[in-house]
Amino acid sequence: MARQAPSTVSEELMTEEKNRLEKYNPHEVEPRWRATWESSNIYKTDLHSSKPKHYMPTMFPYPSGNLHIGHWYAFSIPDTRARFMRMQGFEVLFPMGFDAFGLPAENAAIKNNIDPAKWTYSNIEYMTTQFKRMGTMIDWETTELKTCDPEYYKWNQWFFVQFYKRGLTYKKESFVNWDPVDNTVLANEQVIDGRGDRSGALIERRLMSQWHMKITDYAEELLNFDGLEWSEKVRVMQTNWIGKSVGAEVDFATPAGALRVFTTRPDTIFGATFMVLAPEHPMVAALTKPEKLEEVTAYQAVAKLASDIDRTAEGKEKTGVFLGSTASNPFTGKEIPIFISDYVLVTYGTGSIMGVPAQDARDWDFAKKFNLEIIRTVQTPADWDENKPFMGDGVAINSDFLNGLNVTEAKTRMMDELEQTGKGNRKTTFRLRDWLISRQRYWGTPIPIIYCDKCGQVPVPEEDLPVLLPENPQFLPTGQSPLTLLEDWKNCTCPKCGGAGVRDTDTMDCFVDSSWYFYRFLDPKNTQSAINSELVNKWSPADWYTGGIEHAILHLLYARFWTKAMRDMGLINFGEPFTRLMNQGIILGEDNEKMSKSRGNVIDPDNLVDEYGTDTVRLYLQFIGPWDQGGPWAPKGVNGLANWLGRVWNLFLESPDKTTENIPLIDLEYAIHYALKKVTEDTEAFKFNTSIAAMMELSNFLGKAKRSNLYGTTEWNIALETFNLMLAPYAPHIAEEIWHRTGHIGSVHLESWRAFDPSKLVKDTFEMVVQVNGKVRGKTEAPSNITDAEAFALARGLENIRGHVEGKETVKEIYIKGRLVNIVVKG
RNA sequence: GCGCUGAUAGAGAAAUGGUAAACUCACCUCGCUUAGAACGAGGAGCUUGCGGGUUCGAGUCCCGCUCGGCGUACCA
């Protein structure tokens, strides 16, 4: 339908047209400011500043080739908080580096015949350009830290040697986890459900001689999280991994000598009716009667071949073989049969247990299967199903001198007895094993050890470090490190005797690299020492460390261990690397599924930035929900944030149409301080989504207020300036552009955060809700300092309330300050 | 099995025990008719997974249940 506007309106529109503000164009504004910030170096951290420090490393990325949306989520959001802390007056270090050693480079090299170093360095170069588009306050000098640089891994080797000298690094032969796809051994922490964490291959057991770090020396201390603000989830996961069990070791007499078991329930010994050894237990042979030999050998063979998955499969029926021998229960004197079974692990405790079926579900199953005696030694509750083992607390029965004691008392009494009689002793066992760090791979830190026929293992002297990773490796599927093929490199002279020596040809697990890099950031170019102790002591522990939950055990446990070892070497004066830890969630695809190429739901941040600009992408990622929760990607939501920034742009820079409304000044001040309080507190608490919502509410209010009498007043200008500052950490580019267009000189990012004024949040009056029996029946304006009695009187005076209360008995009257009155009546 | 965690309009997501519920997107109406996958004005939509309980008052606290996510699992 065609319409004809009156000519006067047309003219008015035409004038407006002329004055119309150019639309916000992030593609012009954002790169311009990034260039300015870089050239004026405004994000350089002064490590010697007298301001209070705030150290905020994030788990540094692996140079896989591309920054994905998860990287944006992990790095751009902490950047907002880093910027906020900076505006709050802290000297903030927000570093970045690259975790550059690792298998993907080597696998890419094998597949495409590229040098892993070239692949890695070119990825780093490209990812750095991508990083810069994120508009962060990263101090780029720290990206000197690339773990594959000899200047970095030299210090891995240095630490290795120092730890070696202190007995923290040692080589031992043991059954290790062999990944047949990646052709290397793995640490226990890298085996998930019996499979390699990277390759997914079923892990095999191999007996090999490998280098270990003695993390078990710190098992007890690693259980202590005092002073750390870490999520319960991570603390529980680490605690379970370390797996401390307090109990006792007890000797049982057998024809082959004392058989030692570990138990957490020494109070149940009187109920021990059989023994079980792991199939690999060293005493098996001696305890096997000749007529049982064949059966035992067969069982051992099956157990050896079975993977851990098969051995520990859910609901697996108990199996085992009676060895033909018996042991003597040290307290009852009874002879009890000795079995082997794969439910007992040779790697835990003593590799042997006493079977107490009445108080242990596994032993119960085993006893039922083999028809063994079951003796209750803890009184079961009255309504207990007698066809089940009882693991709970109760009074000891059938247990001689323990009878009548509860479980805790009985344990103590029995452990005292064991120690007095010499039949056993108190013992604490950990599930945690020493950290296996050898890898039969090329792309890692060479292990600085030389083997000499005369001198044995000889650490490479400090002055000869680094042991450089040789160039031009050959990758052959030999199951040995590629370094073994490089004869020239491998053969050397023994530093001790000068004779012929051979280098260790394995490289270190790359979790070694990431165990201390956050200290190196404070002096990444240091050629004299691994770290600058003075700066590290000043800046560490990190105030806030963030990254994915997948490192809850691996990296975070190793980093804590390394820190404690460094402390004990006297390098640093604290024992925990990260005071506060937070794990971001995962950004899912539009379909609420994990992003993957095969699902075709991958969101490419580069495309988004091309379309909307950096600020919009950052804002959207923060607005999507709580940061630790992650969430699905909603393409239309991004558009919403882009539009909001457009409205904010207009709010600041466009002249208002006309003044129509009258808004009290007090409302403006309330709005701005309300938002300021919310944004300050929420940013502090990492609640970016609600912080942005508060800014949206503010901008909605200001949009209205702009067409009121408030426009152009001093208070109006202060309000806008305050809003501009609040926006700066969240949308750094547009905030900077607005800052300059509204007449400011100097970067908004060098400004201070405004403190909110609580007095502006106090109103003289409030809208008092009046309820009768909990239902809203009226509302009235009331003075904020109203007393209870006055509030009730005021409420009762309301016409629509009278109807509900008159002639009825009042049961109760409640006044909630500044909110409501509830009158409870009866009848 | 155990531990942690979640369930609020079509989607995402707020809410110190206090007005049956922010904010954004999507949707509807009107205006503008081109700053256009824009802008302005307005509107509709959730009795907060289910069942009990505590309370003057419950999305919020307690008990039970259902469904989902994450972790862990013969560790003696």
Side-chain angles (χ1 to χ4, degrees):
Chain A
M1 186 169 71
R3 259 185 228 156
Q4 210 166 3
S7 60
T8 49
V9 175
S10 296
E11 275 170 31
E12 201 180 301
L13 282 168
M14 281 177 69
T15 340
E16 256 180 47
E17 191 59 40
K18 274 181 207 156
N19 296 338
R20 187 156 277 167
L21 174 70
E22 69 188 275
K23 198 183 170 189
Y24 174 56
N25 178 7
H27 306 298
E28 186 275 318
V29 169
E30 293 186 343
R32 175 158 50 78
W33 279 117
R34 284 200 291 270
T36 308
W37 296 332
E38 192 164 346
S39 63
S40 59
N41 215 13
I42 67 165
Y43 298 129
K44 183 78 200 112
T45 302
D46 175 6
L47 296 174
H48 298 94
S49 166
S50 57
K51 291 185 195 169
K53 66 91 184 179
H54 188 79
Y55 186 29
M56 257 191 78
T58 59
M59 292 180 194
F60 64 164
Y62 179 78
S64 55
N66 251 305
L67 285 187
H68 52 71
I69 198 75
H71 287 119
W72 275 70
Y73 201 51
F75 302 122
S76 72
I77 298 187
D79 175 67
T80 291
R81 196 162 182 290
R83 288 173 175 278
F84 167 77
M85 294 305 283
R86 193 171 188 244
M87 291 177 81
Q88 291 268 42
F90 290 87
E91 188 71 28
V92 178
L93 178 62
F94 189 55
M96 193 54 61
F98 286 95
D99 188 12
F101 269 141
L103 273 176
E106 193 162 343
N107 289 340
I110 294 167
K111 199 173 163 195
N112 305 318
N113 198 25
I114 319 166
D115 178 21
K118 274 191 192 126
W119 186 85
T120 302
Y121 280 104
S122 99
N123 284 350
I124 288 175
E125 198 179 329
Y126 181 65
M127 287 170 79
T128 303
T129 64
Q130 287 183 306
F131 247 121
K132 294 200 170 176
R133 292 182 88 195
M134 220 180 262
T136 64
M137 57 167 279
I138 288 169
D139 185 335
W140 288 104
E141 272 189 44
T142 60
T143 53
E144 289 298 322
L145 199 163
K146 304 170 181 80
T147 56
C148 62
D149 275 349
E151 270 311 307
Y152 184 82
Y153 71 68
K154 167 183 176 181
W155 300 107
N156 284 341
Q157 295 171 339
W158 181 81
F159 274 118
F160 182 101
V161 172
Q162 301 309 311
F163 287 3
Y164 179 85
K165 287 176 181 164
R166 303 176 72 86
L168 276 179
T169 306
Y170 68 99
K171 195 171 192 183
K172 73 167 174 190
E173 183 167 71
S174 62
F175 281 100
V176 298
N177 307 298
W178 176 260
D179 183 324
V181 169
D182 279 338
N183 278 316
T184 181
V185 299
L186 296 176
N188 284 353
E189 288 79 3
Q190 289 169 300
V191 180
I192 313 292
D193 289 338
R195 291 174 183 275
D197 61 345
R198 301 205 74 96
S199 68
L202 275 177
I203 293 303
E204 298 168 5
R205 290 164 160 274
R206 283 197 186 179
L207 191 63
M208 292 174 75
S209 184
Q210 300 283 291
W211 287 100
H212 291 75
M213 292 275 181
K214 213 154 187 236
I215 191 170
T216 51
D217 270 9
Y218 293 91
E220 191 71 53
E221 198 188 342
L222 287 166
L223 287 169
N224 182 358
F225 295 90
D226 287 354
L228 299 188
E229 290 178 64
W230 288 27
S231 70
E232 189 192 337
K233 188 185 173 118
V234 174
R235 282 185 284 124
V236 167
M237 283 171 77
Q238 290 205 353
T239 302
N240 289 343
W241 184 260
I242 295 165
K244 179 181 179 177
S245 295
V246 178
E249 284 183 339
V250 187
D251 286 333
F252 284 65
T254 76
L259 173 60
R260 173 157 285 213
V261 300
F262 172 71
T263 177
T264 55
R265 293 292 303 274
D267 59 303
T268 63
I269 291 180
F270 288 93
T273 53
F274 59 95
M275 311 289 291
V276 188
L277 306 186
E280 304 88 347
H281 193 283
M283 283 174 72
V284 172
L287 290 168
T288 302
K289 286 272 159 72
E291 67 271 23
K292 293 284 182 183
L293 186 58
E294 195 178 334
E295 204 184 341
V296 167
T297 311
Y299 188 84
Q300 284 177 317
V302 171
K304 192 182 175 188
L305 284 176
S307 68
D308 275 4
I309 283 203
D310 296 333
R311 281 180 61 157
T312 63
E314 188 178 351
K316 181 176 175 279
E317 202 174 318
K318 293 280 178 287
T319 58
V321 177
F322 175 45
L323 298 182
S325 304
T326 59
S328 169
N329 183 316
F331 287 87
T332 65
K334 269 191 204 168
E335 287 299 318
I336 57 177
I338 305 173
F339 291 80
I340 55 170
S341 174
D342 62 7
Y343 84 93
V344 174
L345 310 174
V346 74
T347 51
Y348 187 78
T350 58
S352 49
I353 62 160
M354 58 178 195
V356 187
Q359 271 83 228
D360 184 283
R362 299 154 299 185
D363 295 348
W364 178 276
D365 293 345
F366 194 82
K368 285 286 173 191
K369 175 84 188 266
F370 290 92
N371 221 356
L372 300 165
E373 191 183 5
I374 296 172
I375 303 170
R376 298 256 182 214
T377 62
V378 178
Q379 183 66 55
T380 52
D383 57 350
W384 192 254
D385 177 354
E386 285 301 321
N387 291 312
K388 281 183 179 169
F390 177 64
M391 277 79 84
D393 193 10
V395 171
I397 53 173
N398 303 322
S399 298
D400 194 5
F401 57 90
L402 298 179
N403 287 341
L405 301 176
N406 69 29
V407 169
T408 313
E409 292 162 349
K411 274 187 194 174
T412 307
R413 175 73 183 81
M414 178 52 89
M415 289 193 286
D416 289 344
E417 182 75 16
L418 286 171
E419 292 184 337
Q420 279 160 23
T421 59
K423 290 174 178 171
N425 50 269
R426 284 177 163 80
K427 173 78 180 180
T428 298
T429 298
F430 294 91
R431 182 180 179 271
L432 182 71
R433 296 271 87 89
D434 278 337
W435 174 18
L436 196 168
I437 61 155
S438 310
R439 295 292 177 275
Q440 289 71 47
R441 300 297 303 222
Y442 166 74
W443 191 233
T445 305
I447 289 177
I449 289 286
I450 292 166
Y451 301 96
C452 166
D453 285 344
K454 268 191 227 152
C455 316
Q457 295 169 2
V458 183
V460 175
E462 275 180 45
E463 59 273 19
D464 292 346
L465 297 178
V467 176
L468 286 171
L469 192 58
E471 292 174 10
N472 304 318
Q474 295 175 53
F475 298 106
L476 297 172
T478 58
Q480 288 178 298
S481 168
L483 297 181
T484 54
L485 304 171
L486 301 169
E487 295 293 332
D488 289 351
W489 179 84
K490 198 168 78 175
N491 296 317
C492 59
T493 49
C494 170
K496 226 178 191 172
C497 69
V502 179
R503 294 190 187 281
D504 193 300
T505 55
D506 286 348
T507 53
M508 295 182 206
D509 180 4
C510 42
F511 280 105
V512 167
D513 312 348
S514 56
S515 290
W516 64 280
Y517 75 101
F518 35 89
Y519 301 130
R520 183 74 182 171
F521 276 141
L522 293 157
D523 197 359
K525 294 176 190 169
N526 192 330
T527 55
Q528 300 307 304
S529 56
I531 61 161
N532 178 327
S533 293
E534 192 190 333
L535 284 176
V536 169
N537 283 334
K538 175 182 171 177
W539 281 82
S540 299
D543 299 277
W544 210 313
Y545 191 53
T546 61
I549 187 77
E550 67 273 18
H551 290 115
I553 292 174
L554 291 152
H555 160 55
L556 290 171
L557 199 60
Y558 297 147
R560 293 180 67 212
F561 154 69
W562 207 277
T563 296
K564 292 175 196 302
M566 285 170 72
R567 175 202 59 199
D568 292 346
M569 285 168 65
L571 280 176
I572 54 178
N573 61 12
F574 55 93
E576 286 287 347
F578 318 116
T579 303
R580 199 170 206 181
L581 170 78
M582 194 163 173
N583 301 107
Q584 75 270 10
I586 297 168
I587 297 294
L588 302 169
E590 227 179 302
D591 51 4
N592 228 323
E593 297 285 341
K594 208 166 180 173
M595 283 189 194
S596 70
K597 278 179 195 157
S598 57
R599 286 200 182 88
N601 60 353
V602 175
I603 300 293
D604 178 8
D606 290 337
N607 292 345
L608 287 167
V609 173
D610 289 345
E611 193 170 355
Y612 298 102
T614 295
D615 285 344
T616 295
V617 178
R618 288 173 57 119
L619 278 174
Y620 177 68
L621 287 170
Q622 297 178 82
F623 190 60
I624 202 166
W627 190 53
D628 55 356
Q629 195 178 300
W633 184 263
K636 283 180 177 166
V638 191
N639 206 40
L641 272 300
N643 292 343
W644 180 63
L645 280 184
R647 275 177 263 136
V648 168
W649 177 262
N650 296 345
L651 170 68
F652 276 94
L653 302 174
E654 192 181 38
S655 308
D657 300 345
K658 47 192 170 248
T659 302
T660 51
E661 270 185 276
N662 212 3
I663 297 178
L665 178 62
I666 198 171
D667 287 3
L668 175 67
E669 292 190 321
Y670 182 87
I672 197 77
H673 284 276
Y674 181 82
L676 188 52
K677 179 174 193 287
K678 186 91 178 127
V679 173
T680 305
E681 292 174 351
D682 287 359
T683 310
E684 169 70 36
F686 256 111
K687 290 157 81 175
F688 308 106
N689 54 332
T690 50
S691 181
I692 292 170
M695 285 193 273
M696 285 170 167
E697 284 183 75
L698 177 63
S699 74
N700 289 344
F701 172 84
L702 292 175
K704 287 195 180 76
K706 190 171 171 180
R707 292 189 308 276
S708 78
N709 55 310
L710 294 173
Y711 181 75
T713 61
T714 308
E715 289 81 1
W716 170 260
N717 292 331
I718 290 172
L720 282 194
E721 199 173 80
T722 307
F723 181 25
N724 196 166
L725 291 168
M726 275 189 253
L727 190 62
Y730 283 85
H733 306 84
I734 193 173
E736 184 80 302
E737 181 71 8
I738 290 171
W739 186 253
H740 285 263
R741 290 204 183 208
T742 50
H744 297 87
I745 296 161
S747 173
V748 69
H749 302 300
L750 297 174
E751 294 291 319
S752 294
W753 193 258
R754 294 269 160 87
F756 63 86
D757 179 353
S759 74
K760 303 287 190 198
L761 295 171
V762 180
K763 285 185 167 176
D764 293 341
T765 61
F766 71 101
E767 188 183 51
M768 189 174 80
V769 170
V770 182
Q771 298 181 331
V772 178
N773 290 342
K775 292 202 165 167
V776 179
R777 298 297 184 187
K779 294 175 189 180
T780 184
E781 195 78 0
S784 297
N785 58 359
I786 196 168
T787 65
D788 288 20
E790 286 165 352
F792 300 142
L794 182 62
R796 285 175 180 281
L798 294 177
E799 203 170 333
N800 36 346
I801 299 304
R802 268 184 236 149
H804 286 99
V805 299
E806 265 172 17
K808 294 175 183 173
E809 186 195 339
T810 301
V811 180
K812 209 172 192 177
E813 285 175 320
I814 296 125
Y815 169 61
I816 303 297
K817 193 167 163 24
R819 295 230 180 230
L820 57 74
V821 162
N822 188 10
I823 303 170
V824 184
V825 296
K826 205 163 69 177

